[in-house]
Amino acid sequence: MDVKIGVVGFGLRGHLALEAHRPGRGSRVTAVCDLNERSRAEAHSTFPDAMITADLDELLASGVDAVMVLTPDDQHASVAVRALEAGVAVFCEKPLATSIEDCDKILEAAYRSGSRLYVGHNMRHMPVVTLMRRLIQDGRIGDVKAVWCRHFVGNGGDYYFKDWHADRSHSVGLLLQKGAHDLDVIHWLAGGYSTRVQAFGSLSVYGGIDDRRDRSGERMRDWFSLDNWPPTTQTGLNPVVDVEDISMMNMVLENGVLASYQQCHFTPDYWRNYTVIGTEGRIENVGDESNAEVRLWNRRHASSAPADETFVVPEAEGGHGGADDLLISEFVDFVRGGGTTETSPIAARAAVAAGVCATESLRGAGCALDVPALDPDLIAYFDAGQPTRVIS
């Protein structure tokens, strides 16, 4: 029997709802909730047999087995907590929340209720990332000591500066919103979470563009174009633009690994470059989806040299190199049987905590800040795969 899925938020991330709609193959979307009239009309067209509503309580009472929280980031916590407390399994899109406090509220709600919580960090299923992790686990570069990530966000002007993402009251900042993926991958490849962070950043380009307009009711597909170039010629930015378009972050991890993350939203190309350095070599990816490869150096060279080995990243159909399909499959299996998964609510909280503290650092004096620790009982519970619990 198919897992019955309710979707809350059918806008920017609605493609994940389409991934989850697999009638007769394990899951189907049976209800959609959205406050926006256009979104409800599109949901009705996409899922003609589903209940479409603007009332979250109505969706939760409809008999769904699980809820996918695909709302804007600052609404994740309120929806996820209500669903978990209603006894419904939750898929929460990344970032888990926009504050450490809200992350902890979500984790505590799942712990109290025993309802299953899954976070949509799809990059843990991306072939380029899983290949790099396998090489690390196979000992090909020895013990990891440093991880560097450069994120070239070539579509930044269209993706993040024409809607709510550009307003820190909704997104906090792009070091958190966009960086949550990369911070999670850095932690995963390094085998530890950040305990101390420091950052600098600025609004270097998009803050100087005066052409602004309210795009309420629009979708990214209404304005996105590769012809919107160079960045200084962008038009129709969000009325509020107060997030950084370039940021640089340093991290100290609990296991002693040092890491850095750079993010720029006005580059001509769009991809991520990870470099992982160990005691016996290093690996680095070139490209992260189509035609990508991972290069490995594990012999000494007098100067720059071709990689000692090169690994072609397997290609797959679907979003994010096939990762979205794997993500949804893992979620549906988790709803049915529980257990440990590649994604982790604890890791999702760690990514948010690092991003929030780094944002505080870059908007302050750039000082190093300690990342608040999480309750050990919550860590043990989620690391054990959220075992069945009965709370009296």
Side-chain angles (χ1 to χ4, degrees):
M1 183 178 295
D2 289 339
V3 170
K4 293 177 288 186
I5 293 178
V7 175
V8 183
F10 191 65
L12 179 62
R13 294 165 179 146
H15 66 279
L16 285 174
L18 295 174
E19 288 278 2
H21 190 55
R22 305 170 177 179
R25 295 183 293 121
S27 61
R28 70 173 63 228
V29 172
T30 61
V32 178
C33 176
D34 200 298
L35 299 178
N36 182 273
E37 184 176 355
R38 174 178 173 179
S39 294
R40 293 197 300 274
E42 291 177 349
H44 179 72
S45 176
T46 305
F47 309 110
D49 297 327
M51 180 191 74
I52 311 298
T53 180
D55 187 332
L56 178 59
D57 288 331
E58 186 176 5
L59 179 142
L60 294 174
S62 68
V64 293
D65 301 306
V67 165
M68 297 183 70
V69 182
L70 308 180
T71 64
D73 301 347
D74 59 334
Q75 299 169 28
H76 286 182
S78 59
V79 176
V81 168
R82 285 176 64 184
L84 290 164
E85 291 180 341
V88 176
V90 166
F91 173 108
C92 187
E93 174 62 323
K94 73 86 200 171
L96 179 58
T98 54
S99 72
I100 300 172
E101 294 77 13
D102 277 351
C103 284
D104 293 352
K105 287 178 182 177
I106 295 172
L107 296 177
E108 289 161 1
Y111 180 74
R112 287 195 311 270
S113 66
S115 303
R116 290 172 179 155
L117 172 64
Y118 185 95
V119 187
H121 275 286
N122 57 1
M123 287 191 67
R124 289 197 174 208
H125 292 285
M126 280 185 68
V128 65
V129 174
T130 57
L131 172 57
M132 296 183 83
R133 180 169 162 81
R134 177 172 59 79
L135 292 171
I136 293 168
Q137 290 182 316
D138 287 348
R140 299 300 306 279
I141 60 171
D143 296 330
V144 173
K145 295 298 180 182
V147 183
W148 305 335
C149 176
R150 298 180 300 163
H151 194 173
F152 310 105
V153 192
N155 293 341
D158 280 332
Y159 277 10
Y160 301 105
F161 287 86
K162 295 184 178 180
D163 63 7
W164 58 267
H165 293 86
D167 184 343
R168 67 174 64 175
S169 70
H170 293 295
S171 66
V172 175
L174 297 175
L175 186 54
L176 167 64
Q177 203 290 323
K178 185 63 173 170
H181 271 317
D182 295 301
L183 298 178
D184 180 60
V185 170
I186 288 171
H187 290 162
W188 203 41
L189 296 179
Y193 301 136
S194 294
T195 58
R196 195 162 176 79
V197 300
Q198 176 274 335
F200 291 106
S202 72
L203 181 56
S204 297
V205 172
Y206 298 113
I209 297 175
D210 295 327
D211 192 297
R212 311 285 180 90
R213 84 162 186 261
D214 184 356
R215 293 182 177 273
S216 299
E218 292 186 54
R219 297 284 185 275
M220 188 187 300
R221 61 179 177 270
D222 297 331
W223 67 73
F224 177 83
S225 173
L226 293 178
D227 293 331
N228 293 335
W229 184 262
T232 52
T233 65
Q234 281 278 6
T235 60
L237 299 193
N238 195 60
V240 176
V241 176
D242 61 0
V243 298
E244 296 75 17
D245 53 21
I246 185 169
S247 54
M248 303 177 183
M249 172 182 175
N250 295 313
M251 294 156 269
V252 178
L253 276 56
E254 60 192 345
N255 56 3
V257 172
L258 299 181
S260 66
Y261 174 55
Q262 295 86 41
Q263 180 190 94
C264 183
H265 287 264
F266 46 89
T267 64
D269 47 345
Y270 191 14
W271 64 292
R272 295 169 167 94
N273 168 254
Y274 294 103
T275 297
V276 185
I277 304 174
T279 55
E280 299 176 16
R282 75 176 177 93
I283 52 175
E284 177 177 355
N285 69 294
V286 178
D288 55 10
E289 288 192 48
S290 180
N291 300 316
E293 61 184 31
V294 173
R295 299 173 183 175
L296 181 148
W297 290 261
N298 60 0
R299 295 185 310 147
R300 189 171 177 179
H301 299 274
S303 60
S304 62
D308 297 310
E309 291 185 66
T310 298
F311 303 85
V312 176
V313 176
E315 296 212 24
E317 294 183 2
H320 297 92
D324 290 348
D325 173 75
L326 295 172
L327 183 82
I328 296 302
S329 295
E330 183 177 64
F331 170 62
V332 171
D333 289 343
F334 176 67
V335 172
R336 291 185 183 279
T340 57
T341 57
E342 291 291 356
T343 70
S344 159
I346 299 301
R349 190 267 192 189
V352 170
V356 165
C357 290
T359 301
E360 182 180 349
S361 172
L362 73 83
R363 290 179 184 160
C367 297
L369 299 176
D370 292 329
V371 179
L374 182 62
D375 182 340
D377 288 341
L378 291 176
I379 295 174
Y381 173 69
F382 287 102
D383 282 350
Q386 306 178 52
T388 301
R389 305 174 68 251
V390 178
I391 305 297
S392 58

